[in-house]
Amino acid sequence: MSKYTSPNIPSPCYVLDEALLRKNLQLMQRVQEQSGADIILALKGFSMWSAFPIVREYLKGCTASSVWEAKLAAEEFGREVHAYAP
C-alpha cells in the first residue's frame, strides 16, 4: 500500500489536506501583505469550489475566462471576480 492510500479513503476520490491548503494560503497572504499586491484565485488552476470558504479567508477574489467560471466565482466565492480572455 502506498503512503498516499488509506483503507478509510475510497478510491477514486479527491482528497484535500486542509492544513496544507491553509499553509499555502498563509504564504500567499504574507506575500500580499509584504508586497501590497492582491492575489486572486485562478479557477483554471484550482476550481474545487467546496474549498472556497477556506480560500476566501486569504485571497481577494477569482479570475475567470468564461461566463460560467465567472458565475461560479460570484455565486460560490462571493468576492471580487476578474475576467480575462486568452
Side-chain angles (χ1 to χ4, degrees), residues 22-42 54-62 77 79-80 82:
R22 285 187 184 277
K23 182 179 175 183
N24 286 335
L25 290 166
Q26 289 165 357
L27 172 63
M28 288 186 243
Q29 187 175 44
R30 281 195 308 275
V31 169
Q32 290 181 109
E33 291 168 355
Q34 293 175 5
S35 70
D38 290 341
I39 298 176
I40 56 177
L41 176 68
I54 296 168
V55 178
R56 78 172 148 245
E57 293 175 29
Y58 301 89
L59 302 184
K60 304 285 184 178
C62 293
F77 200 82
R79 298 196 75 190
E80 294 179 13
H82 299 255

